[in-house]
Amino acid sequence: EAGVAQSPRYKIIEKRQSVAFWCNPISGHATLYWYQQILGQGPKLLIQFQNNGVVDDSQLPKDRFSAERLKGVDSTLKIQPAKLEDSAVYLCASSPRLAEGDYNEQFFGPGTRLTVL
Amino acid sequence: GQQLNQSPQSMFIQEGEDVSMNCTSSSIFNTWLWYKQDPGEGPVLLIALYKAGELTSNGRLTAQFGITRKDSFLNISASIPSDVGIYFCAGGPEFSGGYNKLIFGAGTRLAVHP
């Protein structure tokens, strides 16, 4: 079974530029997550999709970050304009469809390392 | 908001030694998970715990879900060089609307000296 794919693996941009990350989850996984992992910290959830709908974006800085999952499969995360503090690894994860009260393992991709200069 | 306090922040041990790390919170969690992250990779699930008091092993790894539901620990026995990496605890909050939410600790960085 292929894992979660992410691209690019590395990106260097200057502040105020825009950047986009792409994620392809494990086939058949209904739930997709984007996390931000700042150096020395654990992953922090930015946004969660169930199929193509957003179920949690409470920690997404919506003035500059946006994400979409139009067909309920691939997803893109965009930052516009980028700030220095956005330098981090952006991780995508996916999990199977949820049943109420159940918990399913989240499978992570390798991440995209973003450096903002 | 809900936070997890993970300790120690880092450990440097000799090969063959046992390792213990833990995670605590002031909030109750329904699920505790332990992940390992290697450089340049995403976290990989090691052990998942679903009930208070549960003790689960995976090879040389053992983890427990605290009775109060506010803590968990991970033990690694007879460490080997490939145990090097960052270990994260993650908790599934008590009230997450059934949406599989996880909150991560800051990680324990493990170095193993041969």
Side-chain angles (χ1 to χ4, degrees), chain A residues 26-40:
Chain A
I26 292 173
S27 177
H29 279 192
T31 311
L32 185 147
Y33 315 76
W34 282 102
Y35 287 86
Q36 180 191 58
Q37 186 177 22
I38 292 172
L39 186 65

Side-chain angles (χ1 to χ4, degrees), chain A residues 9 33 37 48 103-104 106, chain B residues 37 40 42 98-100 102 109:
Chain A
R9 292 296 309 273
Y33 315 76
Q37 186 177 22
Q48 178 180 345
Y103 177 82
N104 285 307
Q106 295 184 24
Chain B
Q37 187 173 28
Y99 288 124
N100 219 43
L102 285 180
R109 286 144 190 81

Side-chain angles (χ1 to χ4, degrees), chain A residues 6 9-10 37 89 91 108-111 113, chain B residues 36-44 88:
Chain A
Q6 290 188 248
R9 292 296 309 273
Y10 305 92
Q37 186 177 22
V89 174
L91 294 163
F108 284 82
R113 181 176 296 278
Chain B
K36 181 180 181 231
Q37 187 173 28
D38 291 328
E41 301 296 330
V44 174
F88 290 99

Side-chain angles (χ1 to χ4, degrees), chain A residues 9 33 35 37 40-43 45 48 55-56 58-59 91 95 98 100-106 108-110, chain B residues 31 33 35 37 40-45 48 50 86 88 92 97-107 109:
Chain A
R9 292 296 309 273
Y33 315 76
Y35 287 86
Q37 186 177 22
Q41 299 181 19
L45 181 68
Q48 178 180 345
V55 297
D56 186 351
S58 56
Q59 297 196 84
L91 294 163
S95 64
L98 299 172
E100 184 63 34
D102 287 352
Y103 177 82
N104 285 307
E105 177 181 352
Q106 295 184 24
F108 284 82
Chain B
T31 309
L33 301 104
Y35 283 84
Q37 187 173 28
E41 301 296 330
V44 174
L45 183 67
Y50 299 108
I86 305 176
F88 290 99
Y99 288 124
N100 219 43
K101 183 174 182 176
L102 285 180
I103 295 172
F104 282 80
R109 286 144 190 81

